[in-house]
Amino acid sequence: FDNTNTESNSLPFSPVQLDVHTNEDIYKLLEYGFSARSTGQTNLNEHSSRSHSIFQLHLYGRHVMSGEERKGLLNLVDLAGSERIATSGVSGDRLNETKHINKSLSCFRDVITALVNKDLHIPYRNSKLTYTLRDSFGGNSKTLVFVNVSPYLKDL
């Protein structure tokens, strides 16, 4: 496991890209990602996610007998939840984080809406989140989404 292997790409930010070969490498990588995660306290949540987390697993395989090669991409994404500024009680840096989180979630919604409406233009480039996940939204991809929604009427 070596977290110095970064490769240039077309993303608007520089993610860490690593080769892993053992289960131990995978666990170290997950620990590294978890340690980089930003959390903070708000009125709504003592350990509120202050950032989205995206774990991309690029899979490559070759059939031993035929030599046929396959590749795939698995995105594991944990989105920070949207917050109402008035009820979360955030200020300063937490306020800026909340604005960025809410903006990226709005962009995420805009992409989904454009895809459902079969619009000619899909606004993937409106946020780092949607640009990073652009390959997972259409074409030959499969997407499964789990959503945690507040059960309280006051949160509607």
Side-chain angles (χ1 to χ4, degrees), residues 4 90 93 103:
T4 60
V90 294
D93 288 343
K103 169 95 169 88

Side-chain angles (χ1 to χ4, degrees), residues 44-64:
L44 302 174
N45 188 343
E46 185 176 344
H47 302 285
S48 177
S49 294
R50 308 313 303 160
S51 62
H52 305 308
S53 177
I54 302 173
F55 181 83
Q56 291 187 316
L57 182 60
H58 295 265
L59 303 163
Y60 301 94
R62 187 171 50 87
H63 191 275
V64 176

Side-chain angles (χ1 to χ4, degrees), residues 34 37-51 78 83 94:
F34 186 74
R37 191 72 195 265
S38 176
T39 61
Q41 184 173 355
T42 70
N43 288 346
L44 302 174
N45 188 343
E46 185 176 344
H47 302 285
S48 177
S49 294
R50 308 313 303 160
S51 62
D78 182 9
E83 296 179 347
R94 297 285 176 254

Side-chain angles (χ1 to χ4, degrees), residues 14-153:
S14 297
V16 175
Q17 183 173 338
L18 308 165
D19 290 332
V20 293
H21 302 282
T22 67
N23 288 346
E24 184 179 329
D25 287 347
I26 293 170
Y27 289 122
K28 286 180 182 177
L29 180 59
L30 288 171
E31 287 174 10
Y32 174 77
F34 186 74
S35 70
R37 191 72 195 265
S38 176
T39 61
Q41 184 173 355
T42 70
N43 288 346
L44 302 174
N45 188 343
E46 185 176 344
H47 302 285
S48 177
S49 294
R50 308 313 303 160
S51 62
H52 305 308
S53 177
I54 302 173
F55 181 83
Q56 291 187 316
L57 182 60
H58 295 265
L59 303 163
Y60 301 94
R62 187 171 50 87
H63 191 275
V64 176
M65 302 296 277
S66 69
E68 181 181 1
E69 294 183 354
R70 295 287 174 122
K71 66 179 184 174
L73 171 64
L74 175 64
N75 285 310
L76 302 174
V77 181
D78 182 9
L79 299 177
S82 66
E83 296 179 347
R84 289 190 174 95
I85 293 170
T87 55
S88 66
V90 294
S91 62
D93 288 343
R94 297 285 176 254
L95 176 60
N96 288 332
E97 290 167 346
T98 298
K99 288 178 182 178
H100 289 294
I101 290 166
N102 288 347
K103 169 95 169 88
S104 67
L105 291 172
S106 292
C107 291
F108 186 83
R109 179 206 59 218
D110 293 345
V111 165
I112 299 298
T113 300
L115 288 167
V116 168
N117 292 339
K118 298 185 184 340
D119 292 350
L120 293 176
H121 173 70
I122 311 298
Y124 294 121
R125 292 185 175 266
N126 287 359
S127 82
K128 292 176 185 179
L129 173 67
T130 55
Y131 189 74
T132 302
L133 298 176
R134 68 193 178 282
D135 293 335
S136 297
F137 285 116
N140 197 23
S141 66
K142 306 285 187 257
T143 303
L144 177 63
V145 178
F146 294 95
V147 179
N148 290 321
V149 179
S150 173
Y152 301 110
L153 289 176

